[in-house]
Amino acid sequence: MTESTTALPRDENLALVIVIYGLYVASLLGFAPAALVGVIMAHVAGGTAGPVAASHYRFQVQTFWIGLAAWTVAAISIFWGTLLSAILIGIPFLIVAIVSVGAIWLWALVRSAAGLVWAAQGSSCHRPDSLFL
């Protein structure tokens, strides 16, 4: 009985892709600078990568920048919600902002986990330019 596997092209090495996903997960678990290291590595390696790895690097870069923008908006919202809570109008705003932080964290975790699974299988990202999977 033979197994059919799809081999990666010789110039494809997904080890760095997997390391970057690991850095993203580490940043979500409390070591935030790991994401910055990961996105720098993805930017640098993306220019010389083969098509499979390039799709992962594009996915990783997009995950970082969209996540950073969303975290920034959420942080500003929490700040203003906290200030405005003194006069009670900020409480609903603050609740929405805190729920948003959890949603952004979950979004980044799901994207990193899905990318890690795809990389471990040796396949490219299905839709690397999509906001969702």
Side-chain angles (χ1 to χ4, degrees), residues 98-124:
I98 291 171
V99 169
S100 297
V101 167
I104 296 163
W105 183 87
L106 184 61
W107 171 83
L109 183 65
V110 168
R111 280 180 66 99
S112 297
L116 187 58
V117 168
W118 293 329
Q121 292 173 346
S123 66
S124 63

Side-chain angles (χ1 to χ4, degrees), residues 38-124:
V39 76
I40 290 170
M41 291 169 67
H43 272 294
V44 170
T48 60
V52 174
S55 73
H56 283 281
Y57 293 135
R58 206 165 55 243
F59 188 72
Q60 291 167 336
V61 167
Q62 180 180 357
T63 299
F64 176 83
W65 289 112
I66 290 173
L68 181 63
W71 280 102
T72 302
V73 169
I76 292 169
S77 299
I78 288 173
F79 174 76
W80 284 107
T82 302
L83 286 180
L84 294 174
S85 291
I87 54 175
L88 301 180
I89 63 171
I91 293 173
F93 194 58
L94 185 60
I95 291 170
V96 169
I98 291 171
V99 169
S100 297
V101 167
I104 296 163
W105 183 87
L106 184 61
W107 171 83
L109 183 65
V110 168
R111 280 180 66 99
S112 297
L116 187 58
V117 168
W118 293 329
Q121 292 173 346
S123 66
S124 63

